[in-house]
Amino acid sequence: MTGRQVLTRLRSMRNRTTVINIVLAVLLAAGIVAAYFMVTGGQSEANAGTGNVRTVAVSVGTVTATVATDGTIESAATMAADFATAGTVNAINVKIGDLVTAGQVLATVDPTDVKAELDAAKRNLNSAEDALDRATGDAVNNAKNQVDQAETTVAAAQRKVDGTQLKAPMAGTVVALNGTVGGKSTATGSASSGTANFLQIADLTKLQVKATLPEADATRIKPGQVGAVTWNALSSARAKATVTTLSPTPSSGNVITYPLTATLDTVPEGARLGQSVRLTITVDEVADAINVPTAAVTSVAGRNIVTVVANGKQEVRAVQIGLKGDSATVILEGLQAGEQVVLATVSSSTTGGGFQLPGGQLPGGQLPGGQVPGGGTRGGGGNR
């Protein structure tokens, strides 16, 4: 074996040794934490070190868990209006923003041609009725059929005449108008605006939030839950909203989201269609609960613990928790209102950092021996 091969083999063995040492160090740290709490039973005492320890009192109040999402304002009731008869628009009686009542005539098309059709159909009906009056024998049945056909033609012509008037299908506000006087209108919309409806009406007294939720949040939402709505453009506007629908199928796209609607209980002044809002839905709530800030609770070796400060000393105590709210956690057992608990902190320095247990470091400070076994700079010196 050459000297170069020996050197390569030694380096490979050194790298494996370093990895093994790091794994052993992690296992050792976890064992120390678990053993510490098992041995002490949560009764470790140390100087409080109030110079750099933040504490807060255990309180009693309402703990709330919410889900928040951005959405837009839309009407809860909208309808489109189109002419039933094609023709040239000769009158538009409303403009965008007008309030209308159900059945109100909004616009008309020129009825000249269809009225002529109706007049001709009526003359044919009169002739058929006269023929029936004169018919005898086998001719009677044929004359009756002619009358029936003439009546059908009259009814169809009358519908065309009626269709020259565009009437409001509901009460509300005109929010879109896609036709002009002199323009052509088909029976399904305004020809000058492609596939758009001739006119749209919305009920602006009944508004709702249209939003989407990621799949993780959608599992926590159900119809009937109440949320709070705030407006981006209206800093003082506030309203409550009730979830009315949550789609069982996701929206199309690369990210899985579920459409949701929530109906506003009231309409704040200045609220308009299309405005951006923030919807915060309450998914769980516990009233009159003993609670602490969530940052005061730490999970170690499967146990939830807090650090209590009493008489200038710190006491690590196991607790049973309930609802984890947005900022606070319910304490079911282990604490009383008024006790002082330590808030966990994230420490950092030029040499490293990380999460600390409430009140400071692990018992005894560092791991045995100071550094991680095998840590520090690599052996062999110099650069590779």
Side-chain angles (χ1 to χ4, degrees):
M1 181 178 297
T2 65
R4 185 180 184 87
Q5 290 174 327
V6 171
L7 181 58
T8 300
R9 186 170 183 179
L10 288 174
R11 286 178 176 174
S12 178
M13 293 176 63
R14 186 183 301 115
N15 290 339
R16 287 198 296 270
T17 302
T18 300
V19 173
I20 292 173
N21 285 340
I22 291 174
V23 173
L24 291 174
V26 172
L27 294 175
L28 178 61
I32 290 173
V33 173
Y36 168 66
F37 289 108
M38 290 176 64
V39 171
T40 62
Q43 297 298 323
S44 174
E45 290 187 351
N47 291 331
T50 55
N52 55 11
V53 172
R54 295 176 56 201
T55 63
V56 65
V58 179
S59 61
V60 177
T62 300
V63 176
T64 303
T66 63
V67 166
T69 185
D70 294 322
T72 55
I73 294 296
E74 63 178 27
S75 173
T78 61
M79 292 191 73
D82 289 302
F83 282 102
T85 300
T88 301
V89 178
N90 63 357
I92 297 177
N93 305 324
V94 294
K95 61 183 181 299
I96 292 178
D98 283 356
L99 290 171
V100 298
T101 57
Q104 178 179 335
V105 177
L106 308 176
T108 59
V109 295
D110 186 354
T112 302
D113 292 341
V114 291
K115 281 187 175 180
E117 289 183 21
L118 177 60
D119 291 341
K122 287 181 178 180
R123 287 195 295 271
N124 290 336
L125 175 60
N126 290 335
S127 298
E129 291 174 339
D130 290 343
L132 177 60
D133 291 339
R134 295 192 301 270
T136 59
D138 294 339
V140 172
N141 289 334
N142 183 57
K144 287 182 178 179
N145 290 336
Q146 293 298 320
V147 170
D148 292 341
Q149 291 178 7
E151 288 177 343
T152 300
T153 302
V154 168
Q158 184 63 58
R159 286 194 296 271
K160 286 184 178 181
V161 172
D162 295 341
T164 62
Q165 291 187 329
L166 180 60
K167 296 182 179 181
M170 60 174 279
T173 301
V174 177
V175 295
L177 180 58
N178 299 304
T180 58
V181 174
K184 295 292 185 181
S185 176
T186 67
T188 56
S190 172
S192 63
S193 57
T195 59
N197 299 109
F198 188 87
L199 188 145
Q200 286 187 333
I201 299 172
D203 186 349
L204 301 187
T205 65
K206 298 177 181 178
L207 300 184
Q208 64 185 16
V209 178
K210 186 72 172 181
T212 59
L213 289 172
E215 54 184 323
D217 288 340
T219 60
R220 307 171 66 190
I221 301 299
K222 58 185 178 181
Q225 290 175 327
V226 177
V229 182
T230 57
W231 273 253
N232 295 344
L234 304 172
S235 58
S236 61
R238 299 288 187 275
K240 289 184 178 180
T242 302
V243 177
T244 50
T245 63
L246 177 64
S247 175
T249 56
S251 302
S252 59
N254 296 329
V255 179
I256 296 178
T257 58
Y258 291 84
L260 169 146
T261 57
T263 302
L264 299 183
D265 293 350
T266 58
V267 179
E269 183 178 356
R272 295 177 179 273
L273 302 184
Q275 289 176 329
S276 299
V277 294
R278 184 73 170 172
L279 173 64
T280 304
I281 304 169
T282 300
V283 296
D284 204 350
E285 188 174 77
V286 179
D288 300 323
I290 295 177
N291 67 87
V292 297
T294 300
V297 182
T298 306
S299 181
V300 177
R303 301 176 67 189
N304 294 303
I305 63 170
V306 297
T307 299
V308 181
V309 177
N311 300 321
K313 299 291 183 79
Q314 293 184 14
E315 172 191 341
V316 177
R317 188 183 301 175
V319 294
Q320 182 179 350
I321 65 173
L323 172 66
K324 287 186 178 181
D326 296 338
S327 59
T329 297
V330 173
I331 304 298
L332 301 177
E333 293 182 7
L335 289 176
Q336 294 182 353
E339 291 187 289
Q340 295 289 321
V341 295
V342 177
L343 295 178
T345 60
V346 176
S347 63
S348 61
S349 66
T350 58
T351 59
F355 181 79
Q356 291 184 324
L357 294 176
Q361 299 176 336
L362 292 174
Q366 297 175 326
L367 295 175
Q371 297 178 337
V372 174
T377 58
R378 295 185 178 181
N383 298 325
R384 292 181 180 269

